[in-house]
Amino acid sequence: MKTGNKIALVDDHILLRNGLAGMLKEAGYQVVLEADNGKEFLDKLQHHPEPDIVLLDINMPVMDGYATAGWIKKNRPDMKVLALSMYDEEDAIIRMLKNGARGYILKDAHPSELKAAIQAILTKDFYYSEMVTGRLMRSIIDNGDEEKAAELNLTERELTFLKLTASEMTYKEIAEQMHVSPRTVDGYRDDLFEKLNIKSRVGLVLYAIKHGIVTV
């Protein structure tokens, strides 16, 4: 019998995890590891086959998804993470992508989207939805582009704004940090949207990561 790709499920909601496991097994995948949180995942990883993809929740006790994704990125770079969360806020998406997640979908997504996301990550190294554009998601994975910030035709203030955009600050707090008005910050944002052909804060952060303006 031909075996499918290996998947780990890390989520503290047991009923949801059991449902996912059953669906994935029916789809031909091997669920090789299940854990309630990041720490349990790391402990079990020593005694189980290494998964190709980790379906990773964000909000978990002991060790959350952010910390777990960061550990995987540093210690198991060939292991791919698909964030599966209730959060659709930009901050959560940005933080998971910066920590190495190759895709991000919501828990209320249709099962067909989950299967599509897994398949895309296996074949293309990333999955993008309406929340994250494909062009920018591909750029964050592509380590071959080493363009320097100085070559991007951005002003010093725009570079500063991009760096702060990748933080957890609100636009109002960024304005205070830069000692300008919120309207001026809106202007920086809108100018960058137009100049870089980007439509969201997530896109700005991915652009900054790609071009070395923000390090991860």
Side-chain angles (χ1 to χ4, degrees):
M1 178 179 177
K2 183 178 179 181
T3 56
N5 293 94
K6 298 184 288 294
I7 294 180
L9 301 176
V10 186
D11 193 312
D12 61 326
H13 294 90
I14 297 176
L15 287 176
L16 173 64
R17 203 174 69 218
N18 288 346
L20 283 173
M23 183 188 73
L24 291 169
K25 289 174 183 176
E26 287 181 6
Y29 296 106
Q30 296 183 69
V31 178
V32 296
L33 192 163
E34 294 186 41
D36 287 330
N37 56 67
K39 184 179 183 303
E40 183 177 330
F41 167 72
L42 298 188
D43 291 341
K44 288 187 172 183
L45 192 59
Q46 303 176 45
H47 309 291
H48 289 74
E50 190 164 296
D52 300 303
I53 293 183
V54 181
L55 267 59
L56 185 60
D57 188 19
I58 293 179
N59 187 21
M60 299 180 293
V62 186
M63 183 176 182
D64 65 17
Y66 301 121
T68 307
W71 185 95
I72 292 171
K73 179 181 178 181
K74 180 179 179 181
N75 296 280
R76 297 288 193 279
D78 292 334
M79 192 183 299
K80 298 166 184 176
V81 171
L82 173 60
L84 185 63
S85 176
M86 293 295 295
Y87 303 135
D88 61 356
E89 295 90 350
E90 284 187 337
D91 289 348
I93 300 169
I94 290 169
R95 193 171 173 189
M96 282 303 286
L97 294 177
K98 286 175 68 178
N99 282 9
R102 302 299 184 97
Y104 192 110
I105 66 173
L106 300 178
K107 285 186 175 180
D108 61 0
H110 193 276
S112 62
E113 182 180 355
L114 175 60
K115 293 175 185 177
I118 292 172
Q119 191 60 32
I121 290 175
L122 288 170
T123 58
K124 302 176 183 177
D125 274 348
F126 69 96
Y127 171 74
Y128 59 91
S129 63
E130 293 180 359
M131 293 184 293
V132 183
T133 70
R135 180 172 60 82
L136 289 169
M137 192 63 189
R138 183 185 295 277
S139 76
I140 196 175
I141 302 303
D142 180 11
N143 294 319
D145 190 345
E146 300 296 336
E147 290 181 78
K148 302 302 180 183
E151 301 171 355
L152 301 178
N153 195 30
L154 302 181
T155 67
E156 182 178 346
R157 299 298 279 174
E158 286 172 338
L159 289 174
T160 300
F161 173 74
L162 270 178
K163 292 176 184 177
L164 294 174
T165 297
S167 72
E168 297 182 2
M169 292 182 182
T170 64
Y171 284 128
K172 182 180 179 181
E173 290 169 338
I174 290 174
E176 293 172 356
Q177 178 74 22
M178 295 183 70
H179 305 291
V180 297
S181 69
R183 183 175 297 230
T184 300
V185 160
D186 288 345
Y188 292 149
R189 179 198 61 206
D190 294 343
D191 287 346
L192 286 171
F193 281 171
E194 183 175 354
K195 184 181 290 187
L196 305 177
N197 191 27
I198 289 170
K199 299 179 180 179
S200 70
R201 184 168 178 170
V202 172
L204 290 176
V205 173
L206 292 176
Y207 182 93
I209 292 171
K210 175 192 176 183
H211 292 285
I213 298 167
V214 174
T215 57
V216 296

